[in-house]
Amino acid sequence: MEMKIISLFLYLMGILCLVYCEKFRFDNYTLYKIYPKTEIQISLLQKLQENDLNLDFWTDPVPNAKYVMVLSSPKNKESLENIMNKNAMAFEVAQSNIQESIDKELVASSTRMIDGRWNTYYKLDAIYGWLDTLATRYSGVVTVIYGGTSYEGRPIKGVKISHGPNKKAIFIEGGIHSREWISPATVNYITNELLSSKDDKIQAVARDFDWYIFPVTNPDGYVWSHEEFRMWRKNRRPTIGNSIGVDLNRNWNNNWLAQGSSTNPASDSYAGPGPFSEPETRSLSTFISSIGDKIDLYLSFHSFGQLLLIPFGNTTEPIANYHDALHIGKKAMKTLSVRFGTQYVTGNIAEAIYLATGGSIDWVKEREQVPLVYCYELRDRGTHGFVLPPEQILPTSQETMDSILELIHEARELGYMNSGSTVGASILMMILLLITNLL
Ligand SMILES: *[C@@H]1O[C@H](CO)[C@@H](O)[C@H](O)[C@H]1NC(C)=O
Ligand SMILES: *[C@@H]1O[C@H](CO)[C@@H](O)[C@H](O)[C@H]1NC(C)=O
Ligand SMILES: [Zn+2]
């Protein structure tokens, strides 16, 4: 009861703040692209990431990192540049004033999504309203589903697209890191394509599977990133001291806190006080478990870096069907590159980015035994990072849709994702046999 009153209080405070607080501005914040060459340089950046929470590391200084993106306030610029110069680290300024890019991001002020308009980012209300309209427009095919409730009491709203019973499922999770706005945007585009595309291939995959789609799995963070602080990544639950938020993609109950997570509540990759300590991960995982044996493919969308990641995040060892997953992933990324030339790297989490555990895909893979599980790190490779210009929403979405079709196609070639259609095919065979017998 007391908890409820406290959270109601914080929720009301949040609403008050949405109305009265000044939005944080990133004037003259500089985005650096740093090119560490030696292990010493890498470990220096790692220490900086750990100890200097004034610097916002957009990518982690992992061994073999080709580049590391860091956002610095005007106040911290000089000391950061000094450190880089002293240690002969090559760097360039990717954006000299990130606020300018934020101003160009173009967020639709309308509370409704406009059909066919993919050159703008949408707020949570607009997205959620749109999901409701889909259920009306495609009644009998689309139902609104709930993956639980956030700390501040917002629903984790999604849609299920289903053209009939007894189908295997594809699960899509977006927006677990709130500042990665291209993730919900791309997921919404995919949803729209599945429902309205005239492309036969898209229509076929839309019909062959039940699609469970959640564009914004961290709704509180998403609202905060729109209304108050553009670079917000975690959820919004107060933790220890003055700290707020847990990294929801370090909070799943798989090798929790083993690697690439922080125990510091102020850190952006704070894993929380325990596995599934957060209402968002707890309720979403419960939802996933309720349909776990149906899921043939699980896709999680993040940005940025142009990577397609495969479990697990604790080791570079190939585990389970890693080689099949890698083969399918590489084919899909080849197809992704056709339309605009966008290049992705495919690999397991540990080798492609970082030893990082407690993420959703590892849990889904091990606990629910889902055969194919991928995490997309969408565009770009650091030029704009999280502040991807709105004119890139459509191309990013289109190339991603291309890749999903190829992913499914290639998976089927290797014997995955066939159970639904095999049942269909054998029923058809039986009917044919019956008819021929009758004749
Ligand atoms: C940003 O930098 C410019 C150029 O140095 C300066 O004129 C301006 O006042 C700065 N803006 C803010 C808000 O600090
Ligand atoms: C990594 O995690 C997987 C899945 O939990 C487990 O099977 C494997 O033994 C772990 N490997 C290491 C080196 O911790
Ligand atoms: Zn992310």
Side-chain angles (χ1 to χ4, degrees), residues 254-255 312 314-315 317 319 366:
N254 186 271
N255 295 309
F312 283 86
N314 63 332
T315 171
E317 232 178 285
I319 296 181
E366 184 165 77

Side-chain angles (χ1 to χ4, degrees), residues 336-376:
L336 185 147
S337 74
V338 171
R339 203 186 272 258
F340 303 110
T342 312
Q343 299 295 323
Y344 271 61
V345 171
T346 308
N348 98 340
I349 300 171
E351 86 194 348
I353 35 173
Y354 197 20
L355 290 164
T357 61
S360 63
I361 69 166
D362 283 3
W363 182 86
V364 167
K365 177 74 184 166
E366 184 165 77
R367 176 63 191 268
E368 300 302 326
Q369 301 282 309
V370 172
L372 292 171
V373 169
Y374 294 94
C375 170
Y376 279 75

Side-chain angles (χ1 to χ4, degrees), residues 56-200:
D56 182 3
F57 278 75
W58 283 15
T59 65
D60 295 311
V62 301
N64 307 321
K66 292 207 175 61
Y67 61 83
V68 177
M69 306 296 304
V70 180
L71 183 68
S72 170
S73 71
K75 220 172 71 194
N76 294 305
K77 269 181 65 168
E78 201 182 303
S79 72
L80 177 62
E81 288 191 15
N82 278 342
I83 292 171
M84 291 188 291
N85 287 329
K86 238 190 239 154
N87 293 278
M89 237 183 299
F91 68 92
E92 64 192 23
V93 170
Q95 308 272 322
S96 59
N97 180 1
I98 202 77
Q99 185 63 45
E100 270 176 17
S101 311
I102 293 174
D103 292 340
K104 283 186 207 136
E105 264 189 320
L106 210 73
V107 176
S109 56
S110 133
T111 50
R112 293 198 309 148
M113 262 173 72
I114 297 151
D115 275 332
R117 187 163 171 222
W118 301 105
N119 61 354
T120 181
Y121 291 101
Y122 290 98
K123 293 187 183 180
L124 187 74
D125 287 349
I127 296 172
Y128 277 6
W130 181 67
L131 297 180
D132 290 334
T133 65
L134 293 180
T136 315
R137 200 181 305 164
Y138 300 95
S139 72
V141 173
V142 174
T143 41
V144 171
I145 51 176
Y146 294 94
T149 308
S150 71
Y151 173 73
E152 290 176 343
R154 295 186 177 87
I156 298 173
K157 201 189 254 199
V159 285
K160 177 184 176 188
I161 301 175
S162 178
H163 290 269
N166 304 322
K167 292 175 200 285
K168 288 305 225 64
I170 296 176
F171 195 103
I172 295 187
E173 165 221 300
I176 204 166
H177 285 149
S178 40
R179 63 185 173 182
E180 300 164 9
W181 284 5
I182 188 62
S183 161
T186 301
V187 170
N188 288 337
Y189 176 87
I190 293 165
T191 306
N192 191 61
E193 283 294 284
L194 290 170
L195 292 168
S196 68
S197 169
K198 301 280 182 288
D199 184 320
D200 290 342

Side-chain angles (χ1 to χ4, degrees), residues 312-327:
F312 283 86
N314 63 332
T315 171
T316 50
E317 232 178 285
I319 296 181
N321 59 340
Y322 174 72
H323 294 289
D324 281 357
L326 185 72
H327 173 83

